[in-house]
C-alpha cells in the first residue's frame, strides 16, 4: 500500500504495515510529502463567542453554530478522532475563512491519468476507466476508447461522516466490446495516513503509482501506472465545487455523470445590464407603398408609416406618422430597452407602412450593432447619426436595390442608471451600471448556509418519498448555489459565502429547491422537468446588527395548488461586518437609486416593462451556464409573478392598510373618550396639558420630539430578536379559498375553462364594484371642498365667503393663542354641553354639491 506519511512517522507506519497485511495490499515506497505530512484532520472550529442563537434565552451563553443541529444528526462523526492532533495555528487559519459553518471533512481523490496500460488479450486494444471504492461508495470515470495512456483529471469527494472504511481502493478496468470490465490493476491506500491540506496551501502534487495485479488473489505487480493524489480537506478546498460527490454519483435511475454535473455548487454572476435609449427622429427618401412612380394606388389615400425597433425578443414601435407620397417623416420619439454585455443581438430598425387595416408592409430596415453607440455616464448630449435603410420583402429596381432611404437616430447606452431585474422593494443592489460611478463598499456580508430541517418529501421514487435539496442565494450581481444533497430531508450544506455591501437598505434572498435533474423521478412522456420550489427567505440587511453573527431557523413555506405547504426550516448564520460606520450613517440621507433616476426619470410603465425584459435576459444567460441555473429558479428568486393579479394579495394589502391606520383610529377613539369624560382623571390631565401648551406654545415641538424619543427608547427592550420571515398570516395564505389559489397560480393568459373564467370575472366585478364605490366617495368629498368657492351652489359659497371675512377680522384682532385655547376647550367640552345631532359645520359640508350629479 503506498505510504502517504512523512519520514517523522516511521513508528506509526510500522504499526500500520502490520494492520495493512490483513487486507492483502503491498506497501510500496513513496517519496515523503513534507508539506502535508500531518497524520491528522482538522478539528471543527467553533465560531466567535459573539455568535448568538435566536432559539436560546437571552441569559444563556452564546452557543456554537454547530450546536444548531440536534443530537444524533451527525454533527460530530464517529471518525472525528483523527482531528485531535492538529496544531492551533492551522485551526485558526481555517476558522478565519469558514467560521460561520461547521467544518465538514472530505476524502479527496484526484485521478489525473494513466500510462503503459496493457492491451486486452481478446480485443487487442484498451478502453480503460478508473473506479474508486471507499466502503460501500463507488465512483467511476468515463472510459477512454482505444487509449493506453488516457487522461481524466477528475476529483472525487467522499464525506467522512458517511464513510466507515479504513482502506481506499483505486481500480483500473478495461471495458471490452463484449460488455465485460476486466480489472487491469489496483492501488490501495490507508485512509488514516491521508495527508491534510489546509487552504491557502498549494494543491497536493499527484504522483505515479504502480498498479498491483488482482488476478488469482495474488499481490504481483501489474503493468501500467496511474497518477493520483489523495488528501483530506474541508468544504473550503478549491476542489470542492468541481468534485464528483459520491452521493450524487450513486443516484438510482439516472446517469451518474449527469447527476454530478447537476449537483455541484457554483457561483454565478449576473450579466452587466445597460439601458439602450434610442430616439427615432426622422426619415428621409422613404417611399411609402403606392406612392412611387407608376403607382396605381388611390391618390387620396394617406399611408401611416411608423418605425419599429427590435432588440432581442423585445419590440417597440413609434406612433404612426401620416404621409402622402414621397416625403420626409418625423417621429421624434424615444424608446428604451434593456440589454446585456456581451451585446450579442443587434438592434433592428424597421420602417413599416399600414397599407390596409390589419396589414403592414416593410419599407426598409437597418441592422444596428450596439457596439456602434457610445456609453453615456452622465447627461451630456449625444450626437445623432444617419443610417441607411435596406429594402426588405418587396421587389426593387436595380438602381435602388441597395438604398431605401435613411433614418436619423440618437442612441446611446445609459450607464448612469441602475437596471432593475427585481422589484424595488426587494432590491439587493442599487448601483449604476458603470463601475466608475460606484461608491466604495460600506461592509461585508457573510452567509453560512448550514442546512435544512424537516423538509417535506417532494417526489416519489420506488414507492418512497425523497428530496434532493439545494439552496440558492442572491445578493447584488452574485448568485450562489450549494451542492445538492441527495435523498435527505435534513440536508447539511455548511457552505459559506461572502458579498460586498454597498447599501444596508437592501435584501438578501435565499430559496431552497428540489433538484429534479438527477435522473430519479424524472418526468416521462416528454414532459418538461422543473426543479420544485420548497420555500424562500428574505433578509433585509438593515434589520441585522452590525459586527455580530446570528444563527436562526427560517420557516420554508410555499403556495401549492392544494394550499399552503410548510416544508421545513432553513438554518442560516449571517454576519454583517461594518467597514465604516460614518459611511453607513451618511447613506441614510442619500437617495436609494442613482441621481439620474430622479433627474431624468423613466415612467412607471417603462420601468415595469424594462424589469421584465431584464429578468428574461438574466434567466436566459444563467440558464446557459454549466451547470445551468434554470429559468424557474431565476424567476422564483426575482419574483417574476409579483405583478400578476391575486385576490389573496389584494386582501393582504388591504389588511396592511387597515393595520397602518389602526393607530390613528385608536388615537381618535381615545380622544373621543377624553371628550366624553369617560375617565375624568385623564380628561383633567389633558386639559391641564393643553392649557399649558397654549400658554407656552414654544414647548409644543420640543414636547412632541421628547415624546417620540422616549417612546423609541422604551421600545428598544421590545425590539425584534430574530430576523423577520415569510409570514403566512400576514400574507392571508393560511385560510385561502382553493379557487382563489388556483386563480393566482394560473398562467397568463389563462388556461382554465370558460365557465371558470366567467365565474372569476363575475367575482372580480363584485370586488371592483366595492372599490369603485370607495373611490367615488373619496372623489365626492374632494369635489365638495373645491365647490366651497366655485359658486356651483351660490348660497353655500356666499355663506362660506361671509364666514371667511368674519373669521379674518376676528383672527386679526385676537391672538392666535387665545383662538387655539377656545377651540380646544370647545372640542374637549363636557358631554352635558353636547348634543346628539351633527354639528352645523358637518351639515353644511354634506349639503355641498359634487360632480357625481353629472355622471351617467
Amino acid at each position: 500500500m503506498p505510504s502517504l506519511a512523512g519520514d517523522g512517522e516511521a513508528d506509526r507506519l510500522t504499526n500500520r504495515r502490520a494492520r495493512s497485511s490483513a487486507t492483502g495490499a503491498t506497501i510500496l515506497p513513496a517519496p515523503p510529502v513534507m508539506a502535508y505530512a500531518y497524520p491528522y484532520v482538522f478539528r471543527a472550529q467553533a465560531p466567535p463567542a459573539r455568535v448568538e442563537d435566536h432559539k436560546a434565552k437571552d441569559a444563556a451563553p452564546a452557543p456554537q453554530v454547530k450546536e444548531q443541529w440536534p443530537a444524533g444528526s451527525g454533527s460530530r462523526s464517529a471518525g472525528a478522532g483523527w482531528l485531535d492532533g492538529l496544531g492551533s495555528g492551522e485551526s485558526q487559519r481555517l476558522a478565519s475563512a469558514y467560521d460561520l459553518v461547521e467544518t465538514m471533512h472530505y476524502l479527496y481523490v484526484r485521478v489525473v491519468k494513466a500510462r503503459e496500460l496493457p492491451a486486452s488479450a481478446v480485443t487487442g486494444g484498451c478502453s480503460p476507466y478508473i473506479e474508486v471504492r471507499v466502503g460501500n461508495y463507488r465512483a467511476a470515470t468515463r472510459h477512454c476508447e482505444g487509449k493506453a495512456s488516457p487522461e481524466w483529471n477528475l476529483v472525487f469527494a467522499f464525506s467522512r461522516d458517511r464513510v466507515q472504511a479504513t482502506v481506499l481502493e483505486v481500480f483500473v478496468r478495461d471495458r471490452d466490446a463484449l460488455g465485460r470490465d476486466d480489472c487491469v490493476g489496483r492501488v490501495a491506500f490507508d485512509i488514516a495516513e491521508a495527508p491534510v491540506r489546509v487552504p491557502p496551501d498549494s494543491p497536493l502534487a499527484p504522483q505515479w503509482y504502480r498498479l498491483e495485479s488482482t488476478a488469482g488473489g495474488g499481490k504481483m505487480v501489474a503493468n501500467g501506472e496511474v497518477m493520483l493524489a489523495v488528501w483530506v480537506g474541508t468544504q473550503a478546498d478549491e476542489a470542492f465545487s468541481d468534485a464528483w460527490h459520491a452521493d450524487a454519483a450513486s443516484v438510482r435511475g439516472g446517469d451518474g455523470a449527469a447527476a454530478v454535473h447537476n449537483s455541484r455548487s457554483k457561483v454565478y454572476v449576473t450579466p452587466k445590464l445597460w439601458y439602450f435609449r434610442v430616439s427615432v427622429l426622422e426619415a428621409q427618401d422613404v417611399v411609402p407603398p403606392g406612392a412611387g412612380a407608376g403607382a396605381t394606388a388611390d391618390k387620396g389615400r394617406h399611408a401611416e408609416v411608423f418605425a419599429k425597433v427590435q432588440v432581442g425578443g423585445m419590440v417597440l414601435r413609434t406612433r404612426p406618422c401620416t404621409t402622402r407620397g414621397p416625403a420626409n417623416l418625423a417621429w421624434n420619439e424615444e424608446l428604451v430597452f434593456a440589454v446585456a454585455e456581451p451585446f450579442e443581438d443587434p438592434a433592428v430598425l424597421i420602417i413599416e407602412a399600414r397599407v390596409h387595416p390589419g396589414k403592414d408592409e416593410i419599407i426598409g430596415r437597418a441592422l444596428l450593432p450596439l457596439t456602434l453607440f457610445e456609453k453615456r455616464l452622465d447627461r451630456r448630449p449625444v450626437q445623432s447619426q444617419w443610417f441607411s435603410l435596406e429594402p426588405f420583402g418587396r421587389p426593387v429596381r436595380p438602381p435602388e436595390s441597395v438604398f431605401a432611404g435613411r433614418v436619423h437616430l440618437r442612441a446611446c447606452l445609459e450607464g448612469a442608471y441602475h437596471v432593475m431585474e427585481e422589484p424595488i422593494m426587494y432590491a439587493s443592489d442599487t448601483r449604476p451600471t458603470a463601475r466608475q460611478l460606484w461608491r466604495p463598499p460600506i461592509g461585508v456580508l457573510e452567509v453560512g448556509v448550514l442546512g435544512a430541517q424537516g423538509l417535506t418529501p417532494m417526489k416519489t421514487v420506488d414507492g418512497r418519498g425523497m428530496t434532493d435539496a439545494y439552496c440558492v442565494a442572491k445578493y447584488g450581481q452574485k448568485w450562489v448555489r450549494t451542492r445538492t444533497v441527495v435523498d435527505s430531508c435534513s440536508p447539511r450544506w455548511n457552505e459559506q459565502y461572502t458579498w460586498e455591501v454597498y447599501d444596508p437598505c437592501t435584501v438578501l434572498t435565499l430559496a431552497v429547491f428540489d433538484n429534479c435533474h438527477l435522473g430519479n423521478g424524472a418526468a416521462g412522456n416528454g414532459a418538461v422537468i422543473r426543479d420544485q420550489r420548497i420555500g424562500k427567505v428574505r433578509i433585509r440587511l438593515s434589520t441585522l446588527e452590525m459586527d455580530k453573527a446570528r444563527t436562526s431557523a427560517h420557516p420554508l413555506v410555499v403556495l401549492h395548488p392544494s394550499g399552503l405547504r410548510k416544508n421545513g426550516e432553513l438554518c442560516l448564520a449571517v454576519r454583517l461586518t461594518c467597514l465604516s460606520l460614518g459611511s453607513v450613517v451618511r447613506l441614510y440621507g442619500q437617495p436609494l437609486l442613482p441621481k439620474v433616476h430622479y433627474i431624468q426619470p423613466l415612467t412607471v410603465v417603462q420601468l415595469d416593462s424594462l424589469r421584465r425584459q431584464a429578468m428574461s435576459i438574466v434567466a436566459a444567460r444563467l440558464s446557459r451556464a454549466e451547470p445551468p441555473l434554470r429559468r424557474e429558479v431565476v424567476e422564483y428568486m426575482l419574483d417574476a409573478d409579483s405583478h400578476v393579479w391575486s385576490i389573496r394579495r389584494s386582501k393582504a394589502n388591504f389588511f396592511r392598510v387597515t393595520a397602518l391606520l389602526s393607530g390613528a383610529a385608536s388615537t381618535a377613539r381615545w380622544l373621543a373618550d377624553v371628550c366624553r369624560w369617560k375617565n375624568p382623571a385623564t380628561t383633567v390631565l389633558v386639559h391641564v396639558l393643553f392649557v399649558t401648551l397654549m400658554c407656552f406654545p414654544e414647548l409644543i415641538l420640543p414636547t412632541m420630539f421628547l415624546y417620540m424619543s422616549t417612546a423609541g427608547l422604551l421600545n428598544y427592550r421590545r425590539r425584534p430578536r430574530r430576523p423577520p420571515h415569510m409570514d403566512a398570516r400576514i400574507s392571508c395564505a393560511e385560510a385561502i379559498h382553493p379557487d382563489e389559489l388556483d386563480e393566482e397560480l394560473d398562467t397568463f393568459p389563462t388556461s382554465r375553462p370558460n365557465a371558470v373564467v366567467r365565474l372569476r370575472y363575475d367575482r372580480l366585478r363584485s370586488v371592483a364594484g366595492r372599490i369603485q364605490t370607495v373611490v367615488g366617495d373619496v372623489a365626492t368629498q374632494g369635489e365638495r371642498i373645491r365647490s366651497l368657492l366655485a359658486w356651483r351652489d351660490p348660497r353655500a359659497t356666499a355663506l362660506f365667503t361671509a364666514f371667511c371675512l368674519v373669521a379674518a377680522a376676528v383672527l386679526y384682532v385676537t391672538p392666535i393663542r387665545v383662538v387655539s385655547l377656545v377651540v380646544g376647550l370647545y372640542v374637549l367640552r363636557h358631554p352635558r354641553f353636547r348634543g346628539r345631532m351633527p354639528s352645523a359645520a358637518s351639515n353644511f359640508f354634506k349639503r355641498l354639491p359634487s360632480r357625481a350629479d353629472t355622471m351617467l
Side-chain angles (χ1 to χ4, degrees):
M1 182 181 299
S3 173
L4 296 173
D7 293 338
E9 299 297 327
D11 295 336
R12 287 172 51 84
L13 183 56
T14 303
N15 297 333
R16 297 291 181 185
R17 284 173 178 169
R19 294 199 303 269
S20 62
S21 61
T23 64
T26 302
I27 302 296
L28 298 179
V33 186
M34 302 303 296
Y36 300 90
Y38 303 123
Y40 313 103
V41 182
F42 291 106
R43 180 182 302 278
Q45 292 298 308
R50 59 189 176 190
V51 175
E52 298 180 11
D53 193 339
H54 290 288
K55 293 186 176 181
K57 296 182 180 179
D58 296 339
Q64 299 177 0
V65 173
K66 67 178 182 179
E67 293 180 358
Q68 176 78 21
W69 299 97
S73 63
S75 60
R76 182 173 174 85
S77 64
W82 10 301
L83 312 181
D84 296 337
L86 189 64
S88 60
E90 300 291 345
S91 300
Q92 291 175 0
R93 180 170 57 176
L94 178 64
S96 63
Y98 254 63
D99 59 345
L100 289 181
V101 297
E102 176 190 353
T103 302
M104 301 179 67
H105 302 91
Y106 292 87
L107 177 65
Y108 291 98
V109 181
R110 181 183 296 276
V111 179
V112 183
K113 55 186 175 180
R115 65 184 180 186
E116 300 177 1
L117 298 179
S120 173
V122 178
T123 62
C126 184
S127 300
Y129 70 93
I130 298 291
E131 178 184 348
V132 181
R133 286 185 181 179
V134 181
N136 295 328
Y137 287 95
R138 171 187 175 276
T141 68
R142 69 186 187 281
H143 75 281
C144 298
E145 190 72 29
K147 292 185 178 180
S149 299
E151 293 187 10
W152 294 281
N153 197 23
L154 295 177
V155 179
F156 299 94
F158 300 87
S159 175
R160 286 295 300 180
D161 291 344
R162 301 187 180 186
V163 173
Q164 303 298 329
T166 59
V167 176
L168 163 70
E169 295 178 296
V170 179
F171 293 89
V172 178
R173 299 187 181 275
D174 180 18
R175 177 168 298 177
D176 57 18
L178 301 178
R180 296 178 303 180
D181 294 340
D182 299 330
C183 182
V184 177
R186 75 158 189 169
V187 180
F189 299 93
D190 191 344
I191 296 178
E193 296 293 339
V196 175
R197 178 177 179 269
V198 185
D201 289 346
S202 299
L204 183 66
Q207 302 181 35
W208 287 104
Y209 293 94
R210 176 68 62 179
L211 297 177
E212 300 174 357
S213 175
T214 59
K219 296 181 283 187
M220 302 181 351
V221 176
N223 293 327
E225 293 179 321
V226 61
M227 178 177 284
L228 303 171
V230 180
W231 74 95
V232 173
T234 66
Q235 69 268 41
D237 200 292
E238 291 87 349
F240 177 80
S241 60
D242 292 326
W244 288 47
H245 290 269
D247 54 351
S250 60
V251 295
R252 294 181 297 172
D255 182 11
V260 172
H261 175 75
N262 288 286
S263 65
R264 290 171 174 166
S265 60
K266 288 294 179 181
V267 176
Y268 306 84
V269 178
T270 301
K272 192 174 184 179
L273 299 172
W274 296 76
Y275 281 151
F276 175 57
R277 187 191 299 269
V278 52
S279 298
V280 184
L281 303 179
E282 57 180 333
Q284 293 181 357
D285 303 327
V286 173
V287 180
T296 59
D298 183 9
K299 298 295 183 179
R301 182 172 60 86
H302 295 263
E304 292 185 348
V305 183
F306 53 87
K308 184 167 63 176
V309 180
Q310 178 178 356
V311 180
M314 189 67 177
V315 180
L316 298 177
R317 72 176 191 175
T318 65
R319 66 184 184 277
C321 178
T322 304
T323 184
R324 186 176 184 178
N328 296 335
L329 308 176
W331 293 283
N332 197 22
E333 192 165 343
E334 185 178 85
L335 308 175
V336 184
F337 299 86
V339 295
E341 287 186 352
F343 304 122
E344 300 175 349
D345 299 324
V348 181
L349 174 68
I350 302 174
I351 304 297
E352 292 186 351
R354 181 156 298 169
V355 294
H356 297 291
K359 181 181 178 181
D360 299 333
E361 181 177 331
I362 299 178
I363 301 175
R365 71 170 185 173
L367 295 179
L368 310 173
L370 298 182
T371 54
L372 296 177
F373 306 105
E374 66 172 316
K375 298 178 180 179
R376 185 170 66 167
L377 307 184
D378 49 23
R379 297 190 61 214
R380 70 177 185 275
V382 178
Q383 192 70 25
S384 60
Q385 304 178 59
W386 286 93
F387 295 92
S388 298
L389 296 174
E390 299 175 356
F392 178 81
R394 58 190 178 97
V396 294
R397 298 179 179 180
E400 55 182 6
S401 59
V402 295
F403 183 74
R406 60 176 187 166
V407 63
H408 193 195
L409 302 179
R410 181 186 298 115
C412 67
L413 295 164
E414 298 282 4
Y417 286 89
H418 168 69
V419 181
M420 288 176 282
E421 75 277 9
E422 53 194 347
I424 187 61
M425 67 282 296
Y426 312 136
S428 62
D429 189 14
T430 58
R431 292 172 293 171
T433 298
R435 183 178 291 270
Q436 300 92 317
L437 304 179
W438 290 4
R439 293 188 294 259
I442 53 94
V444 176
L445 174 64
E446 299 169 271
V447 179
V449 185
L450 304 179
Q453 298 175 345
L455 296 184
T456 303
M458 303 301 295
K459 55 180 174 283
T460 302
V461 178
D462 296 336
R464 67 182 185 89
M466 64 181 300
T467 299
D468 305 326
Y470 66 93
C471 181
V472 177
K474 194 263 182 187
Y475 182 78
Q477 298 178 354
K478 179 180 176 181
W479 301 62
V480 298
R481 168 179 172 167
T482 67
R483 67 184 183 90
T484 300
V485 179
V486 178
D487 192 12
S488 176
C489 292
S490 296
R492 290 191 301 145
W493 294 293
N494 284 308
E495 299 182 22
Q496 183 171 337
Y497 300 95
T498 304
W499 287 269
E500 289 183 337
V501 178
Y502 293 84
D503 195 318
C505 301
T506 46
V507 178
L508 167 70
T509 303
L510 304 98
V512 181
F513 299 88
D514 176 52
N515 197 335
C516 297
H517 293 79
L518 299 184
N520 43 10
N525 302 324
V528 178
I529 303 176
R530 292 177 175 269
D531 291 350
Q532 299 185 54
R533 306 171 181 177
I534 297 180
K536 183 191 297 185
V537 174
R538 295 193 193 98
I539 301 176
R540 184 168 292 274
L541 269 58
S542 58
T543 62
L544 301 175
E545 297 186 32
M546 290 287 189
D547 304 320
K548 184 177 294 185
R550 288 188 176 273
T551 66
S552 56
H554 300 261
L556 297 173
V557 294
V558 69
L559 287 175
H560 192 264
S562 60
L564 181 69
R565 293 181 57 174
K566 300 180 180 180
N567 293 328
E569 294 180 336
L570 176 63
C571 300
L572 302 173
V574 183
R575 178 171 58 211
L576 178 60
T577 304
C578 177
L579 300 180
S580 174
L581 183 59
S583 300
V584 175
V585 175
R586 187 165 56 252
L587 276 177
Y588 277 86
Q590 297 182 1
L592 183 64
L593 296 173
K595 295 185 297 183
V596 70
H597 281 269
Y598 307 95
I599 299 175
Q600 191 176 1
L602 300 171
T603 64
V604 176
V605 177
Q606 282 181 318
L607 288 175
D608 187 61
S609 174
L610 291 171
R611 187 182 76 84
R612 290 198 298 269
Q613 187 180 359
M615 180 190 62
S616 178
I617 293 174
V618 172
R621 292 291 180 91
L622 294 183
S623 64
R624 291 159 52 184
E626 293 293 338
L629 200 61
R630 293 179 171 81
R631 176 173 290 272
E632 63 269 19
V633 175
V634 176
E635 290 180 351
Y636 184 56
M637 295 288 292
L638 297 180
D639 289 279
D641 57 350
S642 61
H643 65 286
V644 178
W645 159 258
S646 168
I647 291 184
R648 178 191 62 83
R649 288 198 189 102
S650 301
K651 291 180 179 178
N653 291 331
F654 174 77
F655 291 139
R656 287 173 59 195
V657 174
T658 303
L660 183 64
L661 299 178
S662 62
S666 300
T667 303
R669 287 194 297 269
W670 175 82
L671 185 59
D673 293 340
V674 170
C675 295
R676 297 190 187 98
W677 290 71
K678 189 173 183 179
N679 188 342
T682 302
T683 303
V684 170
L685 289 177
V686 170
H687 278 77
V688 172
L689 178 62
F690 177 73
V691 172
T692 303
L693 293 179
M694 290 299 101
C695 295
F696 303 96
E698 63 275 6
L699 298 178
I700 295 178
L701 292 179
T703 303
M704 292 175 57
F705 285 107
L706 179 62
Y707 169 77
M708 288 188 288
S709 63
T710 304
L713 293 175
L714 293 178
N715 290 335
Y716 178 77
R717 298 182 59 186
R718 298 192 295 270
R719 68 189 185 278
R721 299 289 182 175
R722 53 186 306 177
H725 55 269
M726 296 294 181
D727 196 326
R729 183 185 59 83
I730 295 179
S731 304
C732 296
E734 292 180 335
I736 184 173
H737 193 274
D739 185 65
E740 296 178 359
L741 181 60
D742 182 71
E743 180 184 13
E744 181 174 350
L745 300 178
D746 190 11
T747 58
F748 187 86
T750 181
S751 58
R752 299 298 184 263
N754 293 335
V756 176
V757 176
R758 184 180 296 109
L759 176 63
R760 293 174 179 173
Y761 175 68
D762 293 339
R763 182 178 59 196
L764 180 60
R765 290 179 62 188
S766 176
V767 174
R770 291 194 291 268
I771 298 175
Q772 171 184 292
T773 302
V774 174
V775 173
D777 292 340
V778 173
T780 297
Q781 306 307 320
E783 290 170 352
R784 284 175 176 172
I785 296 176
R786 293 183 58 183
S787 66
L788 285 172
L789 300 174
W791 293 93
R792 291 196 60 200
D793 185 345
R795 287 161 294 281
T797 304
L799 288 173
F800 183 73
T801 304
F803 171 77
C804 291
L805 289 174
V806 174
V810 172
L811 292 177
Y812 179 77
V813 299
T814 307
I816 188 64
R817 186 181 306 176
V818 175
V819 174
S820 302
L821 183 62
V822 171
V823 173
L825 293 177
Y826 175 78
V827 173
L828 298 174
R829 67 191 184 277
H830 195 273
R832 181 176 300 178
F833 304 103
R834 297 177 181 272
R836 294 183 177 272
M837 302 302 294
S839 63
S842 176
N843 295 331
F844 178 80
F845 182 77
K846 292 179 180 179
R847 292 176 179 273
L848 294 174
S850 67
R851 304 190 67 179
D853 308 334
T854 61
M855 291 185 62
L856 295 176

